[in-house]
Amino acid sequence: IGAAYGVTGRLTISAELPYIRRDALREGEHSHAGGVTTNAVVPLGSVSGFGDMSLLAKYSRAGGALALIGGIKMPTGGTHSHALSGERLETEHQPGTGSWDPIAGAALGVPLGWAKLDASALYQFAGKGAQATRLGDRLQAGVALSHRFGPGEHHHDDEAGEHEHHHSSWDVFSSAGVEWEGPQTIAG
């Protein structure tokens, strides 16, 4: 669930509350008894619920070519779901993390004449959450190349104030994204 509000022409505030569903969770188990080592895959079950809410502010410079993004992920999601065995699931399997995570990023759009190049990066700094777990920092980045077919203009007739002209357009784009996630630590 998401919402965004344009406070001004340059400042946008947005909120996102994800619904998480993880089916057929399982975990590797390693045991050693009586000189025999056993490896097994243990089914944990499924988990679902609302995750952690993110609040973001995006400020665009004049012309809209560069935008700075900042915000916070808040620990609103559940962290007490249990496995089939009755044991509490590890934090990485829960809908929520229990951590407050600052978020910072930027987006850039550059016209190339016949096309437009857009790039963005968002970095989330992982805080300590439920069960003394820090899930690891996260970086999401992407780049896209787009071309508009048609004028795509929308403007008002300033003299009459009543007439609007709409022109349809089509955008074709190609994009690539990457996501990196840092190592998880539990109790240090």
Side-chain angles (χ1 to χ4, degrees):
I1 301 170
Y5 177 71
V7 178
T8 68
R10 294 183 182 178
L11 178 63
T12 302
I13 304 293
S14 63
E16 180 182 275
L17 179 64
Y19 184 81
I20 308 293
R21 181 180 167 130
R22 295 186 173 110
D23 291 321
L25 291 170
R26 52 199 183 278
E27 186 171 68
E29 186 176 89
H30 178 82
S31 61
H32 186 78
V36 177
T37 301
T38 307
N39 295 311
V41 175
V42 178
L44 300 176
S46 297
V47 65
S48 63
F50 284 101
D52 294 339
M53 178 183 284
S54 294
L55 292 176
L56 294 173
K58 181 176 89 170
Y59 182 77
S60 300
R61 292 189 50 186
L66 175 66
L68 301 177
I69 304 164
I72 188 107
K73 182 199 64 69
M74 302 177 299
T76 58
T79 59
H80 288 86
S81 296
H82 291 84
L84 295 171
S85 65
E87 254 184 85
R88 183 176 175 186
L89 289 168
E90 292 180 16
T91 302
E92 68 186 83
H93 299 304
Q94 300 285 350
T97 63
S99 66
W100 291 85
D101 300 349
I103 301 169
L108 179 66
V110 179
L112 301 175
W114 61 274
K116 184 178 180 194
L117 180 67
D118 292 294
S120 65
L122 203 58
Y123 196 91
Q124 181 175 315
F125 300 89
K128 186 188 260 185
Q131 303 178 83
T133 300
R134 186 180 308 269
L135 289 181
D137 291 355
R138 171 181 272 166
L139 171 68
Q140 295 172 309
V143 64
L145 186 64
S146 63
H147 176 75
R148 173 159 290 171
F149 294 95
E153 297 175 337
H154 173 90
H155 56 131
H156 298 275
D157 184 347
D158 292 333
E159 292 182 23
E162 300 174 10
H163 304 288
E164 293 184 8
H165 302 284
H166 299 275
H167 301 280
S168 62
S169 64
W170 290 85
D171 290 329
V172 175
F173 66 92
S174 179
S175 64
V178 64
E179 185 171 320
W180 169 86
E181 195 168 309
Q184 171 181 292
T185 59
I186 300 173

